[in-house]
Amino acid sequence: MGLNCVRAVFFDLDNTLIDTAGASWRGMLEVIKLLQSKYHYYKEEAEITCDKVQVKLSKECFHPYSTCITDLRTSHWEDAIQETKGGADHRKLAEECYFLWKSTRLQHMTLAEDIKAMLTELRKDVRLLLLTNGDRQTQREKIEACACQSYFDAIVVGGEQKEEKPAPSIFYHCCDLLGVQPGDCVMVGDTLETDIQGGLNAGLKATVWINKSGPGPLTPSPVPHYVVSSVLELPALLQNLDRKVSMSA
């Protein structure tokens, strides 16, 4: 491909390189089947329970020094079951639901062949780094499940650092690992508040927002440099960026 102005690309993991949302949905479907077949839940009860867990996951605040992610997420299931069915002592069922959801989710976290090919080609010209927020255990399990380690020069998990995206410090740490300057780097991710805002905060050369859901806000905030519907559009975008910089120079 031959790039001159970009030396490194930082990739988000969840819903950028792997379909975390889709994998989580498949996990929920398996739990719904379990609750109906083994525990005789009505379908609506099972669905409501899983919906409640999804809400709890979306609002999750995790403090690694005060609890472990397994205990926290098992409690999400325990609370959702209690809220739906009432009663008490749902811990064993909550554990069964959590581990079924988790194992099914991990089974479906795969790196697609076209994404593998794209990363392989990109790495011939630029350094690649995986930069993902989240609990250390959870994110490392995902990385292991999708077997993406060999496609990157470095992997940085927010839960292992003092600060996560969008803090500039974690981006500077990534730059130090690769021996590059922020102005040499591009951040690619699906979340405006962390991936894009973080890249802007750190002064990276460009930010690329993966917007898979169609028309986004007319004036997204923060404002990414580029918007694409698929990460597979990145190589062509980088070539255009390189060409523009070369012409202006």
Side-chain angles (χ1 to χ4, degrees), residues 37-223:
S37 62
K38 185 175 178 180
Y39 294 97
H40 310 297
Y41 276 50
Y42 294 115
K43 184 180 180 183
E44 184 179 8
E45 289 178 325
E47 291 174 345
I48 288 172
T49 300
C50 289
D51 288 344
K52 287 180 178 292
V53 172
Q54 288 279 33
V55 171
K56 294 176 191 299
L57 289 168
S58 70
K59 297 179 178 179
E60 189 173 81
C61 292
F62 176 64
H63 303 287
Y65 302 108
S66 60
T67 187
C68 79
I69 195 70
T70 298
D71 288 342
L72 177 64
R73 291 188 169 173
T74 301
S75 293
H76 292 337
W77 285 98
E78 189 174 16
D79 292 343
I81 294 166
Q82 193 279 327
E83 291 165 12
T84 304
K85 296 287 282 185
D89 194 21
H90 298 296
R91 190 68 179 182
K92 286 194 176 299
L93 175 56
E95 290 173 351
E96 187 174 359
C97 290
Y98 168 63
F99 284 109
L100 176 60
W101 170 76
K102 174 183 168 179
S103 62
T104 303
R105 189 169 84 133
L106 288 173
Q107 288 170 14
H108 289 92
M109 287 186 180
T110 57
L111 206 58
E113 292 302 319
D114 50 5
I115 291 180
K116 291 179 183 178
M118 179 198 69
L119 294 173
T120 300
E121 285 302 307
L122 278 178
R123 202 170 173 204
K124 294 176 181 178
D125 293 300
V126 296
R127 312 287 306 276
L128 300 186
L129 182 142
L130 185 67
L131 175 55
T132 176
N133 275 6
D135 164 62
R136 178 189 187 282
Q137 175 187 324
T138 302
Q139 296 310 103
R140 288 292 174 182
E141 286 173 345
K142 293 175 187 175
I143 290 164
E144 185 73 24
C146 70
C148 66
Q149 300 95 319
S150 63
Y151 295 93
F152 294 95
D153 297 287
I155 293 175
V156 175
V157 175
E160 298 173 352
Q161 305 299 317
K162 291 182 179 179
E163 295 181 295
E164 295 188 313
K165 297 177 287 185
S169 63
I170 196 168
F171 289 87
Y172 300 152
H173 173 64
C174 294
C175 291
D176 290 342
L177 285 177
L178 298 185
V180 296
Q181 296 299 314
D184 299 328
C185 305
V186 174
M187 178 68 211
V188 183
D190 71 301
T191 306
L192 290 169
E193 297 80 7
T194 54
D195 302 315
I196 304 308
Q197 187 64 65
L200 295 172
N201 290 346
L204 301 193
K205 178 179 288 294
T207 55
V208 181
W209 180 37
I210 311 293
N211 178 24
K212 299 178 183 177
S213 58
L218 293 176
T219 54
S221 180
V223 180

Side-chain angles (χ1 to χ4, degrees), residues 16-35:
T16 296
L17 294 177
I18 61 173
D19 183 13
T20 305
S24 182
W25 176 73
R26 288 174 180 268
M28 292 297 180
L29 290 180
E30 290 303 310
V31 174
I32 289 170
K33 292 178 186 176
L34 171 75
L35 291 174

